[in-house]
Each structure stands twice: as structure tokens, then as C-alpha cells.
Amino acid sequence: MTGSWYVVLEEETHKDAHIDGSSYDLYRWHLAQSTEVLGTREAAEAAARALADSHVPERFGWLLSLYPGARPGRQVYRMPDGSLLVRMTRRHDETRFRVSVGELIASKEEAEGERLPDSPSGLRRLFGRGSR
């Protein structure tokens, strides 16, 4: 339903990659959760703050289940755009997640399209161009 307020949670994921003998830390953000909040934008902002104060990303969740009563460090930053950036620390590890409030202003259902025919060389067309 358009015009509804949502709390959107994005989590950082971390992966070690080894390419050509070198080690790289790869980070990316992904949408982890989107929850509709009944009521006003202010109600959604309060729900976002509560989530920023209580959410534990999967990366730390399994660890905390091994140590009941353990509590990671948590720093919550309000960013200029109104989103909340949370930095969590546990010993020598850390992770981040972002909580935002957004209004759903458009929504379209998924639709199947027609499959493009294969090009004469047998390669499928990419980006509207045929194979050369």
C-alpha cells in the first residue's frame, strides 16, 4: 500500500577473498528487513530508534548465544539524512548496520516478459545489442 511508512534495515556483510595470492576484505550492504509501521512518520522514527537500540546482526547473534549475558558495544549515529548508523563491537570484531525510515510511494507487481530470440550466432542479446 503506497503512502505507508516503513522501517528499513540494511546490514553490512563481510567476506575474505583471496585473489592472485592477495587477501582482500570485501564489504557490501544488503536489505535485511523492511517492516511496515502503522501510523505516522514519527511512529516509524520511534520504531527505527528502538530497532537501532536492540537489533543484533546474525554475525554477532550466534556468538552471543554461546555467552548468555554478553553484550556487544553499540554506538548509534544519527546521520544528516535522518538514518541511523549503528556500529557494534565485540572484542576485536565489529560490524555495522543502518536503519532508515521510508515512505512507500510506488509499488509494481512483478511481470514476466517475452524471452528475446537468440541472435544468429547463438549468443543471447545483452543490453539491447546483438552479437557482432
Side-chain angles (χ1 to χ4, degrees):
M1 170 172 42
T2 59
S4 300
W5 290 99
Y6 282 77
V7 174
V8 178
L9 173 70
E10 299 170 273
E11 289 185 354
E12 175 188 68
T13 57
H14 172 253
K15 181 178 180 181
D16 293 322
H18 302 280
I19 302 170
D20 296 332
S22 297
S23 179
Y24 298 93
D25 290 327
L26 302 177
Y27 294 91
R28 76 178 186 95
W29 290 87
H30 74 278
L31 181 64
Q33 179 181 324
S34 177
T35 306
E36 184 176 7
V37 176
L38 299 177
T40 63
R41 177 182 181 143
E42 290 75 22
E45 289 173 346
R49 180 56 200 262
L51 185 61
D53 290 339
S54 64
H55 178 70
V56 177
E58 185 178 320
R59 181 169 173 187
F60 278 18
W62 71 270
L63 180 65
L64 297 179
S65 68
L66 296 175
Y67 300 97
R71 187 181 73 227
R74 182 183 302 257
Q75 296 169 323
V76 180
Y77 301 92
R78 181 173 308 280
M79 305 308 288
D81 66 356
S83 65
L84 302 171
L85 178 64
V86 181
R87 177 178 178 254
M88 292 184 69
T89 57
R90 171 82 174 130
R91 297 189 181 193
H92 302 289
D93 196 10
E94 74 176 64
T95 191
R96 288 160 289 279
F97 64 91
R98 191 169 32 221
V99 183
S100 305
V101 170
E103 180 183 15
L104 180 63
I105 60 170
S107 179
K108 294 183 181 180
E109 294 296 321
E110 180 179 332
E112 292 293 326
E114 291 184 36
R115 182 178 170 152
L116 295 174
D118 290 341
S119 65
S121 69
L123 297 175
R124 291 179 58 194
R125 293 173 48 142
L126 297 175
F127 308 108
R129 298 184 199 122
S131 62
R132 297 183 195 262

